[in-house]
Amino acid sequence: MFACIAPHGGEIIPELCGALPDRMKLTRNSMVKLGKKMQDAKPETIIVLTPHGTRIDGYFSVTNSERMYGFVEENDGYYELERYVDRNLAVSITEVAAEQGIPIASINFGTAAGPISCLPLDWGSIVPLSFMPDVPIVVINPSRELSFDLHVKLGEVISQVVRNSGKRVALIASCDWAHAHDERGPYGFDPAAEMLDEEVVGFIRSNELEKMAEFDAEYIEAAKPDGIWQTLILAGAIPKESRKIHLYSYEVPTYFGLICAEISTSDDDE
């Protein structure tokens, strides 16, 4: 019922902005708007696509714990979040994807069910979810060992499963973009960062998300984005002919790019 591309820099959360509240203000304001739109959509479940969750080499991973809990610490601030998992939807996505030959694994921790069945909630999920309604979630982590085509295919499976479930489901592609904008940053500076982000903004404006699959591997490595994989899953879940994109904002307040965009679908008026 609603989808968005949202960033996950910790300072976006007001409690973590420290002494520089204006540094990510543009993005923070955009996230507030996205949160209100998400609230208006009244989702029963939110699917989060994050690059920072539990990774399994060569497999997509899907949460199947009773709940998830995590926290983020930044600028002497602390923010924690807990959400229950929509296990029925998570299992259905895993089963249907596996039936279609997609490498995918369901993950849990501790016990099969109950309060000890709890997986860590990563900052790629916590930051966007902090602005969203408190409903059950499904967290999916992509795998960079798998082809871009398989990421699109997984998105198609997600769409199929969601429609068959009859639930009102929202989708968040949690994405930061090029991480090589500043020589003082942990990844240094590379001119590819500005170039790639400019192209990504163009693809979002023109509703051509699938074109990110055409990026050269060396180009990606130089720019160091972490949003391509999640965006391609979203592109599979909401194909071009069914989506409209509204770019809210783009900024580079530190060493990595931040994009907020709303994706509305042809189902919105149903």
Side-chain angles (χ1 to χ4, degrees), residues 12-29:
I12 301 168
I13 297 176
E15 290 87 342
L16 303 179
C17 67
L20 297 171
D22 291 335
R23 183 151 67 179
M24 294 187 181
K25 184 177 180 180
L26 175 63
T27 296
R28 190 177 303 114
N29 290 343

Side-chain angles (χ1 to χ4, degrees), residues 81-221:
L81 194 72
E82 180 180 25
R83 291 287 186 270
Y84 282 92
V85 176
D86 184 338
R87 302 184 79 175
N88 290 333
L89 189 64
V91 169
S92 295
I93 291 170
T94 305
E95 289 178 347
V96 174
E99 289 169 1
Q100 297 191 21
I102 297 173
I104 195 165
S106 176
I107 56 174
N108 197 349
F109 177 83
T111 57
I116 301 176
S117 172
C118 182
L119 283 164
L121 197 60
D122 69 284
W123 69 96
S125 300
I126 292 172
V127 174
L129 284 174
S130 71
F131 293 87
M132 304 300 168
D134 184 358
V135 299
I137 61 174
V138 175
V139 176
I140 301 175
N141 204 94
S143 172
R144 298 189 184 185
E145 288 78 26
L146 298 176
S147 69
F148 287 150
D149 286 345
L150 280 173
H151 285 72
V152 174
K153 187 175 179 181
L154 177 61
E156 294 169 353
V157 167
I158 291 171
S159 178
Q160 174 188 341
V161 171
V162 166
R163 289 180 180 278
N164 290 340
S165 75
K167 293 181 177 180
R168 297 179 64 86
V169 178
L171 179 65
I172 299 173
S174 179
C175 308
D176 287 338
W177 295 94
H179 284 62
H181 283 280
D182 190 337
E183 62 183 10
R184 297 166 296 180
Y187 305 101
F189 172 80
D190 195 294
E194 182 178 355
M195 294 168 57
L196 184 139
D197 277 6
E198 184 177 336
E199 289 193 71
V200 166
V201 169
F203 292 153
I204 290 173
R205 288 187 184 278
S206 61
N207 191 14
E208 296 177 304
L209 303 181
E210 294 82 359
K211 286 193 173 182
M212 295 185 202
E214 300 173 10
F215 285 144
D216 179 79
E218 291 185 4
Y219 184 38
I220 294 172
E221 176 58 28

